[in-house]
Amino acid sequence: QITLKESGPTLVKPTQTLTLTCTFSGFSLSTSGVGVGWIRQPPGKALEWLALIYWDDDKRYSPSLKSRLTITKDTSKNQVVLTMTNMDPVDTATYYCAHTGGGYISYWGQGTLVTVSS
Amino acid sequence: EIVLTQSPATLSLSPGERATLSCRASQSVSSYLAWYQQKPGQAPRLLIYDASNRATGIPARFSGSGSGTDFTLTISSLEPEDFAVYYCQQRSNWPSPFGGGTKVEIK
């Protein structure tokens, strides 16, 4: 059974750095073809890919946010960490962690709402 | 970067009716397109992958078609639990954007 769970702050101040951790089980991020990524959804709006990391440490970033994002993995801990710098109120969203085996997302975390406010 | 445009933005239908949702890509994505369903307060759920393949456990009333730039999700007869927001997503290349969504609401 594959599960993913996001953890991190629910409130950050403008200009701060957000660090989110995805802890997963039921699969290994050292298995060929497997990736774990982050997707966000502002309230009432559409889904947006942020970043994706593959089993071989290949990393992909949203072109519009690339300068602010870093994704890393710790295979031994079954964790993927996303950092986003210089947070702004427009970054207020639910952030999802997700498993992908071929580009589509079969497994999602429950999501965590991050609010950016002073 | 490929852009996915979904239409209509909102579809107002009654239970038992047929729903037809459209997703258009700004350039060909071959058959590398998926559909997701999202209900309020929940994460999305994969319905269809590679344009026409139902994901595990998805009822047969959901079907997908299309290739290249034009895709359709059809719900043959709406059940009460089908009223939700639907998103398309392509995996032809990175980034793999989602469409803006179609809300299927009760008329």
Side-chain angles (χ1 to χ4, degrees):
Chain A
Q1 178 190 3
I2 290 177
T3 64
L4 306 99
K5 187 171 184 179
E6 307 86 354
S7 59
T10 57
L11 179 66
V12 296
K13 290 180 169 36
T15 75
Q16 287 187 335
T17 294
L18 171 69
T19 299
L20 293 173
T21 300
C22 174
T23 303
F24 56 85
S25 64
F27 68 95
S28 172
L29 198 40
S30 59
T31 300
S32 178
V34 173
V36 173
W38 290 91
I39 295 149
R40 71 177 179 180
Q41 185 173 38
K45 296 189 177 180
L47 301 159
E48 178 185 21
W49 265 109
L50 299 177
L52 176 58
I53 188 166
Y54 286 102
W55 86 102
D56 60 355
D57 210 39
D58 182 19
K59 301 171 185 177
R60 307 293 175 91
Y61 294 101
S62 164
S64 62
L65 295 168
K66 184 175 183 177
S67 63
R68 299 173 54 204
L69 297 173
T70 302
I71 190 168
T72 60
K73 64 181 175 70
D74 186 330
T75 304
S76 64
K77 292 183 178 179
N78 282 352
Q79 291 182 333
V80 170
V81 175
L82 180 77
T83 60
M84 179 180 291
T85 61
N86 194 26
M87 293 292 284
D88 183 272
V90 299
D91 296 314
T92 294
T94 295
Y95 287 75
Y96 293 101
C97 170
H99 165 286
T100 179
Y104 304 129
I105 304 164
S106 297
Y107 302 96
W108 299 70
Q110 63 189 20
T112 184
L113 176 62
V114 178
T115 301
V116 184
S117 174
S118 55
Chain B
E1 182 176 336
I2 295 173
V3 176
L4 299 178
T5 302
Q6 291 188 240
S7 61
T10 303
L11 199 51
S12 298
L13 295 168
S14 301
E17 289 193 295
R18 182 184 189 90
T20 303
L21 289 66
S22 174
C23 177
R24 177 164 289 179
S26 58
Q27 62 190 76
S28 177
V29 299
S30 186
S31 294
Y32 299 132
L33 189 106
W35 291 93
Y36 299 84
Q37 176 194 67
Q38 187 178 34
K39 298 179 181 179
Q42 297 183 16
R45 175 176 69 147
L46 179 65
L47 299 176
I48 301 287
Y49 65 94
D50 288 346
S52 61
N53 297 293
R54 275 190 301 277
T56 303
I58 301 304
R61 64 181 181 272
F62 291 92
S63 64
S65 63
S67 66
T69 61
D70 291 297
F71 300 87
T72 300
L73 173 70
T74 301
I75 310 172
S76 59
S77 178
L78 283 164
E79 296 288 339
E81 62 267 28
D82 299 336
F83 291 92
V85 180
Y86 293 83
Y87 294 97
C88 58
Q89 181 228 347
Q90 66 86 17
R91 73 166 186 92
S92 176
N93 52 31
W94 180 266
S96 302
F98 294 85
T102 291
K103 182 179 181 180
V104 179
E105 65 175 23
I106 299 176
K107 187 175 181 180

